[in-house]
Amino acid sequence: MTGWLSLMFGKQRVPGFFVGHDDWVNAIAFSPGGKFLASGGKDRTVRLWGIWNWQQIWAVKGHADWVKSIAFSPDGSLIATGSGDKTVKVWATKNGALVATLSGHTDWVNSVTFSPSGKWLLSGSADKAAILWDAQTWEQVKTFVHMSLVYSVAFSPNEDFFVAGTYEGIVKVWKVPEGEPLLTLPDHGDWVRCVAFSPDGKTLATCCWNETVRLWRVPEGDLEAILTVPKTAATSIAFSPDGKMLAIGTHSGQVLLYEFSAKKFVQVFQGHTDHVSSVAFSPDGKWLASGSRDKTIRLWKVR
Protein backbone atom coordinates (compact mmCIF):
# COMPACT_ATOMS: atom_id res chain seq x y z
CA MET A 1 0.00 0.00 0.00
CA THR A 2 1.61 3.25 -1.10
CA GLY A 3 0.88 6.77 -0.02
CA TRP A 4 0.62 9.98 -2.01
CA LEU A 5 2.72 10.02 -5.16
CA SER A 6 3.92 13.05 -7.05
CA LEU A 7 4.67 11.32 -10.34
CA MET A 8 3.89 13.29 -13.46
CA PHE A 9 2.81 11.84 -16.82
CA GLY A 10 2.68 14.81 -19.17
CA LYS A 11 0.29 17.21 -17.43
CA GLN A 12 -1.53 14.50 -15.52
CA ARG A 13 -0.79 13.82 -11.89
CA VAL A 14 -1.14 10.31 -10.49
CA PRO A 15 -2.21 10.98 -6.87
CA GLY A 16 -1.70 7.45 -5.62
CA PHE A 17 -2.63 3.83 -5.98
CA PHE A 18 -3.84 0.90 -3.95
CA VAL A 19 -1.84 -2.30 -4.05
CA GLY A 20 -3.08 -5.54 -2.49
CA HIS A 21 -4.60 -7.77 -5.16
CA ASP A 22 -2.39 -10.63 -6.32
CA ASP A 23 -3.88 -10.67 -9.82
CA TRP A 24 -6.11 -8.66 -12.16
CA VAL A 25 -8.44 -6.10 -10.60
CA ASN A 26 -11.70 -6.75 -12.44
CA ALA A 27 -14.17 -4.44 -10.69
CA ILE A 28 -14.27 -1.38 -8.43
CA ALA A 29 -17.03 0.73 -6.88
CA PHE A 30 -17.23 3.77 -4.59
CA SER A 31 -19.55 3.63 -1.61
CA PRO A 32 -22.50 6.08 -1.81
CA GLY A 33 -20.85 8.41 0.70
CA GLY A 34 -17.47 8.22 -1.01
CA LYS A 35 -15.69 7.06 2.13
CA PHE A 36 -14.89 3.58 0.84
CA LEU A 37 -13.80 1.87 -2.35
CA ALA A 38 -14.60 -1.81 -2.93
CA SER A 39 -12.74 -4.03 -5.38
CA GLY A 40 -12.85 -7.58 -6.71
CA GLY A 41 -10.25 -9.51 -8.64
CA LYS A 42 -8.99 -12.56 -10.40
CA ASP A 43 -7.37 -13.57 -7.10
CA ARG A 44 -10.94 -14.38 -5.92
CA THR A 45 -10.87 -11.72 -3.20
CA VAL A 46 -13.23 -8.89 -2.34
CA ARG A 47 -11.50 -5.95 -0.66
CA LEU A 48 -12.62 -2.77 1.04
CA TRP A 49 -10.37 0.30 1.14
CA GLY A 50 -10.55 3.50 3.17
CA ILE A 51 -10.22 6.57 0.96
CA TRP A 52 -9.35 8.83 3.89
CA ASN A 53 -6.29 6.85 5.00
CA TRP A 54 -5.26 4.82 1.92
CA GLN A 55 -5.56 1.59 3.89
CA GLN A 56 -7.18 -1.77 3.23
CA ILE A 57 -9.91 -2.30 5.80
CA TRP A 58 -10.72 -5.93 5.09
CA ALA A 59 -10.30 -8.66 2.47
CA VAL A 60 -12.35 -11.84 2.09
CA LYS A 61 -11.90 -14.83 -0.18
CA GLY A 62 -15.35 -16.40 -0.37
CA HIS A 63 -15.77 -17.00 -4.09
CA ALA A 64 -14.41 -20.15 -5.74
CA ASP A 65 -13.45 -18.31 -8.93
CA TRP A 66 -12.73 -14.81 -10.27
CA VAL A 67 -14.69 -11.88 -8.87
CA LYS A 68 -16.01 -10.31 -12.07
CA SER A 69 -18.22 -7.47 -10.82
CA ILE A 70 -19.04 -5.46 -7.70
CA ALA A 71 -21.71 -3.00 -6.51
CA PHE A 72 -22.73 -1.17 -3.33
CA SER A 73 -26.33 -1.04 -2.16
CA PRO A 74 -27.75 2.51 -2.24
CA ASP A 75 -27.47 2.87 1.55
CA GLY A 76 -23.88 1.59 1.48
CA SER A 77 -24.46 -1.21 3.97
CA LEU A 78 -24.05 -4.09 1.49
CA ILE A 79 -21.69 -5.08 -1.31
CA ALA A 80 -22.77 -7.50 -4.05
CA THR A 81 -20.30 -9.45 -6.16
CA GLY A 82 -20.64 -11.65 -9.22
CA SER A 83 -18.16 -14.43 -9.93
CA GLY A 84 -16.93 -17.06 -12.30
CA ASP A 85 -18.18 -19.59 -9.75
CA LYS A 86 -21.74 -18.88 -11.09
CA THR A 87 -22.92 -17.21 -7.88
CA VAL A 88 -23.79 -13.76 -6.60
CA LYS A 89 -22.67 -13.09 -3.05
CA VAL A 90 -23.72 -10.28 -0.73
CA TRP A 91 -21.36 -8.98 1.97
CA ALA A 92 -21.73 -6.64 4.95
CA THR A 93 -19.71 -3.48 4.28
CA LYS A 94 -18.78 -2.99 7.94
CA ASN A 95 -16.85 -6.24 8.34
CA GLY A 96 -16.98 -8.34 5.16
CA ALA A 97 -19.34 -10.91 6.67
CA LEU A 98 -21.24 -13.02 4.14
CA VAL A 99 -24.93 -12.07 4.12
CA ALA A 100 -26.26 -14.22 1.27
CA THR A 101 -25.22 -16.47 -1.62
CA LEU A 102 -27.54 -16.34 -4.63
CA SER A 103 -27.54 -19.39 -6.87
CA GLY A 104 -29.50 -19.43 -10.11
CA HIS A 105 -27.04 -18.82 -12.90
CA THR A 106 -25.36 -21.72 -14.71
CA ASP A 107 -22.28 -19.84 -15.93
CA TRP A 108 -20.05 -16.89 -15.01
CA VAL A 109 -21.80 -13.89 -13.45
CA ASN A 110 -20.31 -10.94 -15.33
CA SER A 111 -22.26 -8.00 -13.93
CA VAL A 112 -24.22 -7.05 -10.80
CA THR A 113 -26.03 -3.86 -9.83
CA PHE A 114 -28.54 -2.69 -7.24
CA SER A 115 -31.58 -0.69 -8.30
CA PRO A 116 -31.45 2.98 -7.18
CA SER A 117 -34.07 2.39 -4.46
CA GLY A 118 -32.33 -0.75 -3.21
CA LYS A 119 -35.41 -2.86 -3.86
CA TRP A 120 -33.81 -5.07 -6.51
CA LEU A 121 -30.49 -6.67 -7.30
CA LEU A 122 -29.77 -7.52 -10.94
CA SER A 123 -27.19 -9.95 -12.31
CA GLY A 124 -26.08 -10.73 -15.86
CA SER A 125 -24.37 -13.95 -16.85
CA ALA A 126 -22.60 -15.92 -19.56
CA ASP A 127 -25.57 -18.31 -19.37
CA LYS A 128 -27.42 -15.75 -21.58
CA ALA A 129 -29.70 -14.62 -18.74
CA ALA A 130 -30.21 -11.66 -16.46
CA ILE A 131 -31.84 -12.40 -13.11
CA LEU A 132 -33.79 -9.94 -10.96
CA TRP A 133 -33.50 -10.66 -7.23
CA ASP A 134 -35.49 -9.28 -4.29
CA ALA A 135 -32.89 -7.37 -2.27
CA GLN A 136 -34.74 -7.96 1.01
CA THR A 137 -35.47 -11.68 0.79
CA TRP A 138 -32.80 -12.56 -1.83
CA GLU A 139 -35.39 -14.59 -3.71
CA GLN A 140 -35.32 -14.85 -7.50
CA VAL A 141 -38.07 -12.63 -8.96
CA LYS A 142 -37.65 -12.84 -12.73
CA THR A 143 -35.30 -14.31 -15.34
CA PHE A 144 -34.73 -12.41 -18.58
CA VAL A 145 -33.43 -14.66 -21.37
CA HIS A 146 -31.16 -13.29 -24.11
CA MET A 147 -29.77 -14.79 -27.29
CA SER A 148 -26.15 -14.27 -26.26
CA LEU A 149 -23.81 -14.06 -23.28
CA VAL A 150 -24.82 -11.13 -21.05
CA TYR A 151 -21.75 -9.10 -20.11
CA SER A 152 -23.14 -5.93 -18.57
CA VAL A 153 -26.37 -4.70 -16.96
CA ALA A 154 -27.56 -1.31 -15.68
CA PHE A 155 -30.76 0.07 -14.15
CA SER A 156 -32.32 3.32 -15.34
CA PRO A 157 -32.28 5.94 -12.54
CA ASN A 158 -36.05 5.64 -12.10
CA GLU A 159 -35.62 1.81 -12.16
CA ASP A 160 -38.55 1.37 -14.56
CA PHE A 161 -36.28 -0.57 -16.91
CA PHE A 162 -32.80 -1.97 -17.28
CA VAL A 163 -30.42 -2.60 -20.16
CA ALA A 164 -28.24 -5.60 -20.91
CA GLY A 165 -25.21 -5.60 -23.22
CA THR A 166 -24.17 -8.88 -24.84
CA TYR A 167 -21.13 -10.54 -26.32
CA GLU A 168 -22.66 -10.59 -29.79
CA GLY A 169 -23.21 -6.82 -29.87
CA ILE A 170 -26.90 -6.67 -29.01
CA VAL A 171 -28.28 -4.37 -26.29
CA LYS A 172 -31.78 -5.01 -24.98
CA VAL A 173 -34.00 -2.83 -22.81
CA TRP A 174 -36.39 -4.60 -20.41
CA LYS A 175 -39.26 -3.32 -18.28
CA VAL A 176 -38.96 -4.01 -14.54
CA PRO A 177 -40.27 -6.14 -12.96
CA GLU A 178 -42.75 -7.40 -15.57
CA GLY A 179 -40.04 -8.57 -17.94
CA GLU A 180 -41.53 -6.99 -21.05
CA PRO A 181 -38.88 -6.30 -23.75
CA LEU A 182 -39.12 -2.59 -24.59
CA LEU A 183 -36.37 -2.10 -27.14
CA THR A 184 -33.49 -3.75 -28.96
CA LEU A 185 -30.75 -1.38 -30.08
CA PRO A 186 -29.09 -1.83 -33.50
CA ASP A 187 -26.27 -4.36 -33.64
CA HIS A 188 -22.99 -2.81 -32.48
CA GLY A 189 -21.01 -5.18 -34.68
CA ASP A 190 -18.87 -6.45 -31.80
CA TRP A 191 -18.83 -7.30 -28.11
CA VAL A 192 -20.65 -4.76 -25.90
CA ARG A 193 -18.34 -4.66 -22.90
CA CYS A 194 -20.22 -2.16 -20.73
CA VAL A 195 -23.37 -0.06 -20.38
CA ALA A 196 -24.09 2.99 -18.20
CA PHE A 197 -26.91 5.52 -17.72
CA SER A 198 -26.42 9.25 -17.33
CA PRO A 199 -27.61 10.55 -13.93
CA ASP A 200 -30.74 12.07 -15.48
CA GLY A 201 -31.57 8.78 -17.20
CA LYS A 202 -31.89 10.37 -20.64
CA THR A 203 -28.68 8.99 -22.16
CA LEU A 204 -27.36 5.44 -22.32
CA ALA A 205 -23.68 4.89 -23.06
CA THR A 206 -22.51 1.57 -24.50
CA CYS A 207 -18.88 0.67 -25.08
CA CYS A 208 -17.89 -1.79 -27.75
CA TRP A 209 -14.77 -3.76 -28.53
CA ASN A 210 -14.57 -2.08 -31.97
CA GLU A 211 -13.04 1.13 -30.54
CA THR A 212 -16.33 3.00 -30.10
CA VAL A 213 -18.60 4.33 -27.38
CA ARG A 214 -22.17 4.99 -28.48
CA LEU A 215 -24.58 7.44 -26.85
CA TRP A 216 -28.30 6.65 -27.13
CA ARG A 217 -31.45 8.55 -26.28
CA VAL A 218 -33.57 6.36 -24.01
CA PRO A 219 -36.12 4.93 -23.97
CA GLU A 220 -36.59 5.99 -27.61
CA GLY A 221 -33.42 4.25 -28.76
CA ASP A 222 -32.18 7.08 -31.01
CA LEU A 223 -28.41 7.19 -31.61
CA GLU A 224 -27.09 10.58 -30.48
CA ALA A 225 -23.35 10.21 -31.07
CA ILE A 226 -20.49 7.80 -31.62
CA LEU A 227 -17.23 8.50 -29.80
CA THR A 228 -14.14 6.94 -31.36
CA VAL A 229 -11.54 5.74 -28.87
CA PRO A 230 -8.08 6.27 -30.46
CA LYS A 231 -6.37 3.00 -31.48
CA THR A 232 -7.73 0.85 -28.67
CA ALA A 233 -10.93 -0.72 -27.34
CA ALA A 234 -13.13 0.85 -24.68
CA THR A 235 -13.35 -1.57 -21.76
CA SER A 236 -15.23 0.38 -19.07
CA ILE A 237 -17.29 3.56 -18.74
CA ALA A 238 -18.76 5.80 -16.04
CA PHE A 239 -20.69 9.07 -16.06
CA SER A 240 -19.63 11.81 -13.67
CA PRO A 241 -22.25 12.50 -10.95
CA ASP A 242 -23.27 15.76 -12.65
CA GLY A 243 -23.53 14.06 -16.05
CA LYS A 244 -21.12 16.50 -17.69
CA MET A 245 -18.32 14.00 -18.34
CA LEU A 246 -17.80 10.38 -19.31
CA ALA A 247 -14.79 8.38 -18.17
CA ILE A 248 -13.58 5.63 -20.49
CA GLY A 249 -11.13 2.91 -19.49
CA THR A 250 -9.22 1.32 -22.35
CA HIS A 251 -7.55 -1.93 -23.32
CA SER A 252 -4.23 -0.07 -23.71
CA GLY A 253 -4.25 1.08 -20.07
CA GLN A 254 -5.21 4.72 -20.53
CA VAL A 255 -8.22 6.37 -18.93
CA LEU A 256 -9.89 9.05 -21.05
CA LEU A 257 -12.19 11.82 -19.87
CA TYR A 258 -14.76 13.13 -22.37
CA GLU A 259 -16.54 16.44 -21.73
CA PHE A 260 -19.96 16.71 -23.37
CA SER A 261 -20.07 20.52 -23.59
CA ALA A 262 -16.67 20.63 -25.30
CA LYS A 263 -17.47 17.53 -27.40
CA LYS A 264 -13.93 16.22 -26.98
CA PHE A 265 -11.57 14.33 -24.71
CA VAL A 266 -10.19 16.80 -22.17
CA GLN A 267 -7.95 14.60 -20.02
CA VAL A 268 -5.89 11.48 -20.57
CA PHE A 269 -4.71 9.64 -17.47
CA GLN A 270 -1.64 7.45 -17.97
CA GLY A 271 -0.05 5.12 -15.46
CA HIS A 272 -1.63 1.69 -15.82
CA THR A 273 0.47 -0.84 -17.68
CA ASP A 274 -2.39 -3.12 -18.76
CA HIS A 275 -6.10 -3.28 -19.64
CA VAL A 276 -8.36 -1.05 -17.48
CA SER A 277 -11.21 -3.27 -16.32
CA SER A 278 -13.32 -0.78 -14.36
CA VAL A 279 -13.71 2.96 -13.75
CA ALA A 280 -15.77 4.81 -11.14
CA PHE A 281 -16.30 8.42 -10.08
CA SER A 282 -16.44 9.41 -6.43
CA PRO A 283 -19.92 10.70 -5.45
CA ASP A 284 -18.63 14.31 -5.31
CA GLY A 285 -17.08 13.97 -8.78
CA LYS A 286 -13.63 15.11 -7.65
CA TRP A 287 -11.93 11.75 -8.02
CA LEU A 288 -11.86 9.02 -10.62
CA ALA A 289 -10.77 5.50 -9.70
CA SER A 290 -9.60 2.84 -12.15
CA GLY A 291 -8.90 -0.86 -11.67
CA SER A 292 -6.58 -2.73 -14.00
CA ARG A 293 -5.11 -6.06 -14.98
CA ASP A 294 -1.79 -4.64 -13.76
CA LYS A 295 -3.13 -5.57 -10.27
CA THR A 296 -3.50 -1.96 -9.09
CA ILE A 297 -6.25 0.55 -8.39
CA ARG A 298 -5.36 4.13 -9.20
CA LEU A 299 -7.03 7.29 -8.01
CA TRP A 300 -6.99 10.34 -10.28
CA LYS A 301 -7.81 13.97 -9.53
CA VAL A 302 -10.47 15.29 -11.94
CA ARG A 303 -9.75 18.87 -12.97
Side-chain angles (χ1 to χ4, degrees), residues 62-217:
H63 280 292
D65 209 327
W66 297 13
V67 179
K68 294 281 291 177
S69 54
I70 198 163
F72 275 95
S73 61
D75 66 2
S77 66
L78 300 173
I79 297 170
T81 53
S83 170
D85 66 10
K86 310 174 187 178
T87 70
V88 176
K89 289 185 182 290
V90 183
W91 315 85
T93 301
K94 63 179 180 181
N95 56 11
L98 183 63
V99 174
T101 297
L102 312 184
S103 300
H105 287 292
T106 59
D107 209 330
W108 284 28
V109 179
N110 294 314
S111 184
V112 293
T113 185
F114 281 94
S115 66
S117 71
K119 182 178 182 180
W120 314 108
L121 176 64
L122 183 68
S123 56
S125 169
D127 64 8
K128 304 181 181 181
I131 296 179
L132 188 70
W133 309 85
D134 186 308
Q136 284 71 50
T137 65
W138 307 118
E139 293 179 351
Q140 189 170 323
V141 177
K142 186 76 177 181
T143 299
F144 305 82
V145 179
H146 295 71
M147 296 300 291
S148 176
L149 177 158
V150 177
Y151 207 89
S152 50
V153 293
F155 273 105
S156 63
N158 63 8
E159 69 185 59
D160 284 348
F161 55 91
F162 78 88
V163 296
T166 69
Y167 188 77
E168 291 186 353
I170 302 298
V171 175
K172 284 196 172 186
V173 182
W174 299 87
K175 188 170 179 58
V176 178
E178 296 88 345
E180 176 188 348
L182 297 178
L183 183 69
T184 299
L185 298 180
D187 191 345
H188 287 62
D190 210 330
W191 172 22
V192 177
R193 175 66 177 78
C194 42
V195 295
F197 277 100
S198 61
D200 64 8
K202 296 179 179 179
T203 301
L204 171 69
T206 58
C207 73
C208 185
W209 198 250
N210 59 11
E211 302 180 6
T212 63
V213 173
R214 288 170 166 80
L215 302 175
W216 307 85
R217 191 75 176 175

Side-chain angles (χ1 to χ4, degrees), residues 46-78:
V46 181
R47 299 171 188 262
L48 188 73
W49 311 85
I51 298 299
W52 72 95
N53 63 0
W54 302 87
Q55 296 295 318
Q56 180 176 286
I57 297 171
W58 52 255
V60 293
K61 195 171 186 178
H63 280 292
D65 209 327
W66 297 13
V67 179
K68 294 281 291 177
S69 54
I70 198 163
F72 275 95
S73 61
D75 66 2
S77 66
L78 300 173

